[in-house]
Amino acid sequence: MIFSSETSIDSLEEDLRYLKLLATKYPTIPDACTEIINLQAILNLPKGTEHFLSDIHGEYESFTHVLRNASGVIKRKINDIFGNSLRDSEKKELATLIYYPEQKLEISLREEADIEDWYKITLYKLIEFCRIISSKYTRSKVRKALPPDFSYIIEELLHEQQSTFNKQEYYNGIIQTIIRIGRAKEFIVAISNLIQRLTIDRLHIIGDIYDRGPGAHIILDTLMDYHSIDIQWGNHDMLWMGAAAGCESCIANVLRISTRYANLDTIEEGYGINLLPLATFALDFYNNDPCKSFKPKVYPDNNYREKDLNLMSQMHKAISIIQFKLEGAIIKRRPHYEMESRLLLSDIDYENGTITIDGKEYKLNDTNFPTIDPSDPYKLTQDEIELVDKLKSSFANSDKLQEHIRFLYSNGSMYSKYNSNLLYHGCISLSEDGSFKKMKIDGVTYSGRSYIDRTERLAREAYFGKADSESKLYALDNVWYLWCGCNSPLFGKDKMATFERYFINDKSAHTEVKNPYYKYRDDETICNNILVEFGLNPDDSHIVNGHVPVKTKQGESPIKAGGKLLVIDGGFSKAYQPETGIAGYTLIYNSYGLLLASHAPFESTQKAIDEGKDILSSTIILEKSSNRIRVVDTDVGLEIKEQIGDLEQLLTAYRKGLIKEKG
């Protein structure tokens, strides 16, 4: 609300305490007026570009490249700025320089005959590019992003008009001096990094940073340095969050997946977690077991020896059996999870080597269970108890892991609303008729948004709750449920058929039935209901979703419900690419509208640097705004308007003498 000079003194006095606090920042009428003018001007700037990525799954090279090239935004902007004035090869060289300035500079320094001339031409191009990119921001915002070593020089160059006769020599002098004193290389690196930063105003990660690929820890380090970010947790993120919080079944799952995908880099090198106890245990109990169903999934470029892979198979089986036991304990103590059907170790006929599931008998492909007591299959042996304790201690005492998980808690959530877009990783649990599924937690019925809000509170208590308390154990169990429970909004299936995939060859036993959400997400009415449930106007809002890869190869579209819902999990993970046919979708939301980009598989960072091999991307314009979207149309705009209202209220208080100026 904006208060005019006619605003009653009584209403101002109600907020006097707040206004006095505001007056410490704006102690005079001119100070308040200046800030109002500044904020009002910001409202008319174009909105910043948002970048949406999902399901990165540890593929740090692809992720880093997509982050650097902003899903093709930088390349398109180069075309817009330089048009036909540069050859395609020159545009490619400039793009690569912006993405990888340090590495590309080394190549250029070796290959260019006249390096000073190359420096001069390159600096002019980069400054021109940066000037256009920065033009949608205030000088203050750009100034905060400037690298300290060159902040004054870059600011001068960005806001100087070359065409102004009196300043041409001044402008050229700066460029020539940078080259003459040997600072051109450092300046190019600084301005290239600035371009990357200014190209994207806000980054959204729609879940699943962890598992499968080798570099989740590298991705987290990158995200921690990013200037503006929010994260919607995925089920794989939740699994690692639970492991870091001390959930034993989550720890077992993390290690099982790491051994399944021959991905121990994140565990050992990234987080310094000691796997020697698991390896020793596996050799003690599975040394003569071929563990055929537990052979790691490896890619052609893996560097593991056959001996290493055999040991990893044994570790894989050992931790899987421990996982089933630990999960059984949770299922037994939480009957309201309604997961008794997953107590499969009790359904095995150990003498005949068979198992009965849903009334059907299956032959087991592996009957070597040296640590299972058929009379009490979920009881951990003493060796298993000691191993779990050691692993739990390693996870708890990994400083890097704990730092990353705290970052996920600080910057993440189950869902987010941002500029009329609803962002979440998995699903909104629905009943067969498309209504929000009702679920009871501690005797209270939840559905839709209230259910997800409740699960988020429990996820936070699992990490921050009082150690060794019953409420903490309850929350830790819930984190595991969010990973694989039948009503988990992060998982979205009736079961996780891990046991069946390992021990039963009949693939009909591997079926996992998806929540009805996945049947209804192409229904515009259902999507509108979800948006309304979360307090958004369905006429101008979208849902951005990840989790289930879009099978482009089979003709599936990432655009659902007439563009109301967008699925951007297209297969960053190499494990999915044969099925999806591509290497991921990303979304761009700029001041002109929404653009969906699909990406071909990324070869390598080295080829991108040496040969300029960018990710081949195809862009679809989903929505184009008839009028350019301004800051006033965004969530930030709403906040600014509130600030303007508060400042105008402060002005009235000054002018009516309720608060004295202190200037």
Side-chain angles (χ1 to χ4, degrees):
M1 181 176 181
I2 297 175
F3 290 81
S4 69
S5 57
E6 300 301 318
T7 304
S8 69
I9 291 177
D10 288 341
S11 65
L12 287 175
E13 287 178 338
E14 292 175 4
D15 298 322
L16 206 53
R17 181 184 296 178
Y18 167 70
L19 293 177
K20 285 180 178 178
L21 186 62
L22 191 61
T24 61
K25 190 173 182 180
Y26 306 100
T28 68
I29 288 176
D31 289 331
C33 288
T34 299
E35 184 63 8
I36 290 171
I37 294 167
N38 177 49
L39 292 174
Q40 194 67 52
I42 290 172
L43 290 175
N44 295 306
L45 288 171
K47 77 173 285 294
T49 299
E50 299 171 54
H51 195 189
F52 302 75
L53 287 81
S54 178
D55 296 85
I56 303 157
H57 285 301
E59 298 291 351
Y60 70 94
E61 282 201 82
S62 299
F63 163 77
T64 302
H65 188 78
V66 167
L67 205 62
R68 288 173 181 266
N69 80 354
S71 289
V73 170
I74 287 177
K75 185 177 280 187
R76 287 194 295 273
K77 188 63 71 173
I78 288 173
N79 280 324
D80 292 343
I81 294 170
F82 298 104
N84 296 323
S85 65
L86 293 180
R87 295 191 298 268
D88 287 343
S89 60
E90 292 173 321
K91 292 176 186 176
K92 186 167 74 170
E93 290 288 310
L94 180 60
T96 305
L97 179 65
I98 292 171
Y99 306 157
Y100 303 100
E102 296 97 335
Q103 299 91 329
K104 189 63 180 174
L105 270 166
E106 289 182 14
I107 296 172
S108 299
L109 290 172
R110 290 196 306 265
E111 295 178 350
E112 292 295 332
D114 187 345
I115 195 63
E116 287 197 10
D117 188 53
W118 181 85
Y119 273 145
K120 185 176 180 181
I121 293 168
T122 300
L123 285 169
Y124 276 110
K125 285 189 286 194
L126 289 172
I127 292 163
E128 176 64 15
F129 189 97
C130 194
R131 183 183 289 115
I132 300 297
I133 284 286
S134 64
S135 63
K136 66 161 64 176
Y137 303 115
T138 64
R139 285 197 181 195
S140 174
K141 185 164 184 172
V142 174
R143 191 178 298 121
K144 290 172 185 175
L146 294 176
D149 287 355
F150 297 102
S151 58
Y152 173 76
I153 297 170
I154 293 176
E155 188 170 9
E156 285 290 291
L157 293 173
L158 292 185
H159 300 292
E160 203 55 65
Q161 296 298 321
Q162 298 180 62
S163 56
T164 304
F165 177 77
N166 292 333
K167 289 294 184 77
Q168 279 184 345
E169 290 187 11
Y170 171 75
Y171 181 89
N172 293 334
I174 292 175
I175 301 293
Q176 289 165 2
T177 304
I178 290 170
I179 298 169
R180 182 173 59 80
I181 64 175
R183 293 285 282 167
K185 183 178 178 180
E186 292 80 5
F187 187 86
I188 286 171
V189 171
I191 200 165
S192 295
N193 289 333
L194 178 62
I195 287 170
Q196 287 185 39
R197 176 165 181 172
L198 294 177
T199 299
I200 299 300
D201 192 45
R202 182 80 172 185
L203 177 64
H204 308 283
I205 304 294
I206 320 292
D208 278 1
I209 296 166
Y210 280 101
D211 290 331
R212 299 195 179 94
H217 57 294
I218 300 172
I219 293 167
L220 263 299
D221 279 339
T222 303
L223 295 179
M224 287 182 71
D225 288 334
Y226 207 80
H227 56 277
S228 180
I229 183 172
D230 56 72
I231 299 166
Q232 290 70 58
W233 303 322
N235 55 323
H236 287 268
D237 306 318
M238 188 59 63
L239 185 64
W240 281 78
M241 290 157 68
C247 177
E248 295 171 355
S249 58
C250 288
I251 291 171
N253 270 282
V254 161
L255 295 175
R256 177 183 63 80
I257 295 169
S258 296
T259 51
R260 177 177 173 80
Y261 288 92
N263 169 26
L264 303 183
D265 291 354
T266 297
I267 292 283
E268 294 183 307
E269 296 176 20
Y271 293 138
I273 291 169
N274 183 13
L275 293 184
L276 182 59
L278 176 57
T280 303
F281 177 90
L283 287 172
D284 286 345
F285 289 93
Y286 298 93
N287 191 32
N288 297 316
D289 189 335
C291 300
K292 289 182 180 178
S293 296
F294 295 87
K295 295 294 182 185
K297 294 178 180 288
V298 295
Y299 303 111
D301 58 350
N302 87 87
N303 297 316
Y304 290 108
R305 298 173 300 171
E306 189 65 28
K307 184 180 178 181
D308 297 329
L309 293 173
N310 288 337
L311 175 57
M312 213 176 295
S313 301
Q314 293 158 351
M315 294 165 66
H316 186 185
K317 183 174 180 180
I319 199 64
S320 296
I321 298 300
I322 292 172
Q323 173 194 313
F324 299 140
K325 290 184 178 184
L326 293 170
E327 291 178 335
I330 295 176
I331 293 168
K332 287 180 178 181
R333 67 173 171 258
R334 307 298 178 200
H336 65 280
Y337 287 173
E338 299 179 346
M339 294 180 68
E340 290 80 5
S341 63
R342 303 310 300 156
L343 295 172
L344 298 178
L345 297 185
S346 303
D347 297 330
I348 296 174
D349 183 332
Y350 290 91
E351 287 188 7
N352 296 318
T354 60
I355 187 170
T356 301
I357 301 174
D358 295 330
K360 183 176 178 179
E361 186 177 84
Y362 297 93
K363 186 74 175 174
L364 297 178
N365 58 33
D366 183 344
T367 57
N368 183 36
F369 301 113
T371 65
I372 292 181
D373 177 0
S375 64
D376 191 1
Y378 289 99
K379 183 180 180 181
L380 291 169
T381 67
Q382 186 58 39
D383 289 311
E384 287 174 325
I385 291 171
E386 291 174 5
L387 173 60
V388 169
D389 286 344
K390 289 176 183 176
L391 293 171
K392 188 174 177 180
S393 176
S394 289
F395 274 77
N397 291 301
S398 169
D399 292 339
K400 175 64 79 171
L401 172 62
Q402 297 298 332
E403 181 185 27
H404 284 171
I405 296 305
R406 285 193 296 273
F407 171 77
L408 284 179
Y409 273 106
S410 298
N411 295 273
S413 56
M414 290 288 288
Y415 67 90
S416 178
K417 296 188 293 179
Y418 199 91
N419 288 341
S420 295
N421 291 316
L422 176 61
L423 322 177
Y424 54 80
H425 175 73
C427 69
I428 308 300
S429 296
L430 301 178
S431 300
E432 286 297 335
D433 63 358
S435 61
F436 297 114
K437 189 168 185 178
K438 293 180 172 59
M439 285 152 285
K440 278 194 174 182
I441 301 178
D442 299 333
V444 179
T445 300
Y446 298 90
S447 66
R449 182 179 182 177
S450 67
Y451 176 59
I452 295 181
D453 286 340
R454 174 60 176 155
T455 61
E456 177 165 338
R457 290 195 295 273
L458 286 170
R460 294 188 183 280
E461 186 171 355
Y463 192 79
F464 297 106
K466 185 179 178 182
D468 301 321
S469 64
E470 175 55 35
S471 62
K472 170 122 177 169
L473 177 62
Y474 184 89
L476 285 171
D477 288 351
N478 189 74
V479 167
W480 170 81
Y481 184 85
L482 285 171
W483 156 243
C484 64
C486 57
N487 290 316
S488 164
L490 298 181
F491 179 52
K493 298 178 185 177
D494 68 332
K495 66 182 178 184
M496 188 175 284
T498 306
F499 180 93
E500 292 91 329
R501 285 194 295 270
Y502 287 135
F503 290 99
I504 301 174
N505 292 334
D506 185 345
K507 291 190 176 181
S508 66
H510 304 178
T511 303
E512 298 170 342
V513 180
K514 294 177 184 175
N515 185 273
Y517 168 86
Y518 293 99
K519 176 177 68 175
Y520 284 112
R521 68 178 179 174
D522 210 10
D523 185 317
E524 192 169 345
T525 300
I526 297 295
C527 290
N528 286 341
N529 291 344
I530 292 172
L531 289 167
V532 170
E533 172 73 4
F534 284 83
L536 292 171
N537 182 353
D539 293 336
D540 56 12
S541 300
H542 304 83
I543 297 169
V544 185
N545 201 180
H547 188 47
V548 178
V550 179
K551 297 176 182 176
T552 307
K553 203 172 182 180
Q554 299 177 20
E556 185 182 356
S557 170
I559 305 167
K560 310 291 184 183
K564 190 66 65 176
L565 186 148
L566 307 168
V567 184
I568 61 168
D569 178 7
F572 254 107
S573 173
K574 290 179 182 177
Y576 286 145
Q577 288 171 12
E579 190 177 355
T580 61
I582 61 168
Y585 287 102
T586 55
L587 187 68
I588 293 292
Y589 183 27
N590 60 25
S591 58
Y592 295 102
L594 284 165
L595 296 89
L596 184 71
S598 63
H599 307 287
F602 181 57
E603 291 195 47
S604 71
T605 301
Q606 201 56 51
K607 283 197 172 185
I609 296 164
D610 294 341
E611 304 171 26
K613 284 201 171 182
D614 204 346
I615 290 180
L616 294 175
S617 304
S618 300
T619 305
I620 303 169
I621 298 175
L622 298 174
E623 287 186 7
K624 190 169 184 178
S625 178
S626 54
N627 296 309
R628 198 171 186 189
I629 305 167
R630 306 283 173 180
V631 173
V632 69
D633 305 310
T634 67
D635 293 346
V636 171
L638 289 174
E639 293 174 11
I640 289 175
K641 284 191 279 188
E642 288 179 1
Q643 292 171 29
I644 291 172
D646 292 341
L647 286 164
E648 292 188 348
Q649 190 175 353
L650 177 62
L651 278 180
T652 304
Y654 277 141
R655 287 166 177 163
K656 289 186 176 291
L658 293 174
I659 298 175
K660 294 180 180 179
E661 292 182 87
K662 295 181 180 179

